[in-house]
Amino acid sequence: FEEYIDIILEGNYVEGQGWGGKYGYFFGGMQIQGICAYFYKEKHPEFAIELNRCEINSMADNPNFNANDKQKPNLCRDGREKCEDCREMDVSKILSAHFTICQKPWNCVSHWDLHSTKICSQLHSEWFRIRRDFEESRRDGSRQTPEMGGSHRPEIHFGYCISSGQRGYIPIKV
């Protein structure tokens, strides 16, 4: 843990290249995703294990670099020959999601780009289903189980969004 803190404090992050000039040139790279890759792949490879990016921390991102990218046009972001498109993943196989591209569920988004719509709506729906389960289990007098009729996209938001946008969200009472 102390070594991890030292790496952060040293600040050896190179813009466009990542931690140590190698890890973190991708979404969230300056943060936890990049520093974890750097820590385990560069500093402690004996403890590293690669996880399936579509199942763990799934982002609904394009698996390829943009065709206009001068350095890596259309190549796989993960360096493989064949790209796995996480946007086609069965949502029941996803263990954790990163809501950068799909946006945070409490922003009550219901329109995404053409390629991400299916997976993002499913991830949001699952997040709100879990929220609903949590609310139904509450015994502290703060339970909120709004009617689904009349709400914004109830098939996705389970009644917790009355309109699109963050102002439309019904927050959890604490």
Side-chain angles (χ1 to χ4, degrees), residues 25-169:
Y25 53 86
F26 42 79
F27 295 113
M30 187 181 272
Q31 299 153 12
I32 194 74
Q33 291 96 330
I35 197 156
C36 278
Y38 176 68
F39 186 83
Y40 286 105
K41 204 163 184 184
E42 186 72 18
K43 298 288 190 177
H44 296 284
E46 70 276 16
F47 297 116
I49 183 169
E50 185 173 354
L51 303 174
N52 183 312
R53 64 183 278 282
C54 294
E55 295 173 2
I56 309 292
N57 202 37
S58 185
M59 290 184 44
D61 58 324
N62 185 339
N64 299 352
F65 285 102
N66 188 303
N68 298 327
D69 188 305
K70 290 182 171 80
Q71 294 179 330
K72 302 176 181 184
N74 293 320
L75 294 178
C76 295
R77 290 182 187 273
D78 62 9
R80 291 189 164 86
E81 289 283 322
K82 186 174 181 331
C83 305
E84 181 177 11
D85 192 340
C86 301
R87 298 170 297 186
E88 301 299 321
M89 184 70 145
D90 178 346
V91 75
S92 70
K93 293 183 177 7
I94 297 173
L95 301 174
S96 65
H98 185 121
F99 288 108
T100 293
I101 292 171
C102 294
Q103 299 300 303
K104 309 302 184 248
W106 50 90
N107 288 337
C108 297
V109 176
S110 56
H111 300 288
W112 297 274
D113 71 73
L114 178 67
H115 301 290
S116 302
T117 294
K118 179 182 173 191
I119 192 69
C120 288
S121 63
Q122 290 175 335
L123 289 170
H124 277 229
S125 180
E126 183 62 11
W127 191 91
F128 280 104
R129 184 197 61 76
I130 293 168
R131 159 88 193 268
R132 187 91 175 184
D133 288 351
F134 165 72
E135 293 286 1
E136 289 173 352
S137 73
R138 293 182 84 171
R139 302 290 181 253
D140 64 357
S142 298
R143 179 190 298 194
Q144 295 181 99
T145 51
E147 293 297 320
M148 302 254 284
S151 66
H152 177 66
R153 302 288 307 269
E155 74 280 7
I156 296 174
H157 303 118
F158 283 71
Y160 294 102
C161 293
I162 56 173
S163 64
S164 183
Q166 196 169 14
R167 290 184 182 167
Y169 180 65

